[in-house]
Each structure stands twice: as structure tokens, then as C-alpha cells.
Amino acid sequence: MIEIPEASTLARQCAETLTGKTITSAVAASSPHGFAWYANDPGAYGDLLTGKTITGGAAHGGHPEIEAEEMRICVGEGVNIRFYEPGAQLPTRHQLKITFDDGSAICCTVSMYGFLGVFPDGMNDDYYYLVGKEKPSPLTDEFDEAYFQSMITDETLRLSGKAFLATEQRIPGLGNGVVQDVLWEAKVHPKRKLNTLGEDQLLDLYHQVKQVLTNMTHAGGRSTEKDLFGNPGGYEVILCRTTVGLPCSRCGTPIKRMAYLGGNVYVCEGCQPLT
């Protein structure tokens, strides 16, 4: 799934690779997918984009966005976006294909579920997109200690570490994937309530949110996800499905998997005590 590190990486790569190219065609929803959600009518994407020149890219939470003059091309969740050089064989099935004047193209395919949108700048009312634009990213200076402390309330103190960080869009783009390593670095069990942590532990949790996401982004995303060119990210994930049963790199305790809050969490019970 696209989270903050992948959204930032994809937006940067799109800006570097596509800026200056002019769109010659755009086709959406040619391969039906029951869990692909489109902003506006996908049948109109061709008319909206044809003739537009790519002018940049940006990331909003977990949404990488391509700027095409006044138009925006945005994806999220489980969308795979890939760049193809001129003459390359394109996939036959896709949920969005955009071709350019030099013969290159990008194709977007949805794995489990995903969002795709084409719209004029300022005309997307999707909640997850808007909250990603409105709230500061942990990758920015605006997400400082004071801002993090403002998130700590009597209500949120009753939440677990995972619930606080990865639900209700408190930090847009920080989801179940990246939260595992954040909590591991902070030595906080995913189920542990914030009100059981001391002030120093809460402060360390803030610093780990900033540091882990920065490390992931600088490495081009997580090793479990792929970038615009189909390459895995350079950040080697510590806790994920492939490390279950392996010894923790810090203390040697085997990594465990458990179901929690609608998904799996991964934990080292030696480093991350529940109490």
C-alpha cells in the first residue's frame, strides 16, 4: 500500500521523469475492477488530460499527485503506478493508462483496492486527499514537537500505539505498514495504551515518527513496496510478514504476528513489552 514514504518517492520520480512531456491519450477503467474507485467520470479522463503538459508532482499524505498544468492526476491505497520507456510492452490490463508525445507511458493497476482521480486543481472533495493536504506531514518542519503534543489529549491517551498513529487520519499517510517499524524503534507494543507511557517515551515516539519516515523516504520507500520503475524501495523493513519467526535484530526474540484493529501487527515482545 502507498504510504508517506512511497507517495513522496513516487511524486518525486514522476516530477523528475515526466515534467515537460505532453499527454497524447488517457484511458481509464478499460479493465473493470470491483475495488477501483475513481474521482469523477473515468470516461472523461481522456478529454481532461489530452494535450496537457506535465508540470510537476507533489505528495499529500499517502497520495502521490502528478501536475498536468491545471489538471491533477492522483492515486492512492493499493495502486501500482509504473513508467514505460518508448517502445516498451505495456500491460494489457490496467485501470489508467496515460501516453506521452515521446512514446513513453505510465500505467496504473489496482492490486487489492485503490483510488484514482483526474480533476482540476482544487476540485477533488475526497476526504482522505483533503486531509492529506490540510495536515502537516511528518517529513516537514511544521510537524514539530508542539504539533505532536497537541495530538495528545485525554481521549487519545486512552488509545493504543497503533490506534493513535495509524487510525482516524491523525497522521495522513501513516498506516499499518510503516507504523510497525515506528513502534519497534520506539519500543512500544502496538496494543500498549499511551497513558501507560512516560513523558520521555511519548517524546521518543514523536522522534521515531519523524526519523523512521525520513529514513524510509530517503531510501526511496520500503523494501516491501515498488517505485515508479518497478524497483523495491531501499529501506529494509524490520517488522513485516517476511520477518515473522526471525530473531529481532536488537534483542534476538522471535518476531510475532497477531491480528489487531482490522489487520496484522508484527511485534518483538522482548523489545516492545505490552506492560
Side-chain angles (χ1 to χ4, degrees):
M1 293 291 174
I2 300 173
E3 297 188 33
I4 290 171
E6 292 74 42
S8 298
T9 298
L10 288 166
R12 172 181 57 79
Q13 292 177 328
C14 285
E16 294 172 349
T17 306
L18 304 178
T19 295
K21 297 178 185 285
T22 299
I23 297 170
T24 55
S25 69
V27 179
S30 65
S31 302
H33 192 294
F35 295 99
W37 298 288
Y38 294 89
N40 306 314
D41 175 15
Y45 286 6
D47 291 337
L48 292 172
L49 291 177
T50 299
K52 303 296 182 183
T53 298
I54 304 301
T55 51
H60 309 298
H63 291 78
E65 183 175 79
I66 302 170
E67 301 167 0
E69 299 181 28
E70 81 280 8
M71 301 304 299
R72 298 294 182 264
I73 306 160
C74 186
V75 301
E77 284 86 32
V79 174
N80 303 303
I81 177 171
R82 299 287 183 268
F83 173 74
Y84 296 88
E85 296 282 0
Q89 182 69 39
L90 303 183
T92 57
R93 297 181 62 82
H94 47 74
Q95 279 66 58
L96 176 62
K97 179 179 72 173
I98 298 173
T99 55
F100 301 101
D101 54 347
D102 65 349
S104 63
I106 57 171
C107 286
C108 299
T109 58
V110 175
S111 51
M112 294 176 62
Y113 58 89
F115 165 83
L116 307 97
V118 172
F119 46 88
D121 186 26
M123 298 299 289
N124 182 7
D125 61 0
D126 177 78
Y127 168 75
Y128 297 99
Y129 172 82
L130 292 177
V131 76
K133 294 190 72 173
E134 292 166 359
K135 292 187 177 182
S137 168
L139 302 178
T140 66
D141 292 339
E142 287 75 18
F143 192 99
D144 57 15
E145 185 179 336
Y147 178 80
F148 187 81
Q149 289 292 346
S150 74
M151 299 169 61
I152 306 295
T153 65
D154 289 343
E155 179 182 355
T156 58
L157 279 172
R158 293 193 290 269
L159 299 176
S160 67
K162 175 185 172 177
F164 173 68
L165 292 179
T167 67
E168 302 299 326
Q169 295 299 302
R170 291 180 187 86
I171 306 176
L174 194 164
N176 193 57
V178 302
V179 77
Q180 313 295 332
D181 281 16
V182 171
L183 292 172
W184 182 84
E185 292 285 1
K187 300 181 180 179
V188 174
H189 194 288
K191 295 183 179 182
R192 187 169 179 180
K193 305 295 186 183
L194 294 194
N195 58 17
T196 69
L197 302 177
E199 290 186 10
D200 289 346
Q201 290 173 299
L202 288 172
L203 180 59
D204 186 51
L205 183 61
Y206 158 72
H207 286 299
Q208 297 305 336
V209 168
K210 296 277 289 186
Q211 191 61 58
V212 171
L213 290 173
T214 297
N215 292 345
M216 289 177 171
T217 302
H218 285 174
R222 292 167 287 159
S223 57
T224 53
E225 304 294 327
K226 294 185 178 180
D227 67 8
L228 184 67
F229 309 103
N231 301 315
Y235 175 91
E236 289 296 332
V237 176
I238 299 168
L239 299 185
C240 65
R241 62 180 180 82
T242 62
T243 63
V244 173
L246 297 179
C248 168
S249 59
R250 187 163 51 200
C251 75
T253 303
I255 302 300
K256 288 187 176 181
R257 174 177 57 203
M258 60 189 72
Y260 182 55
L261 292 179
N264 289 320
V265 293
Y266 306 91
V267 61
C268 167
E269 293 181 327
C271 291
Q272 299 166 273
L274 182 56
T275 58

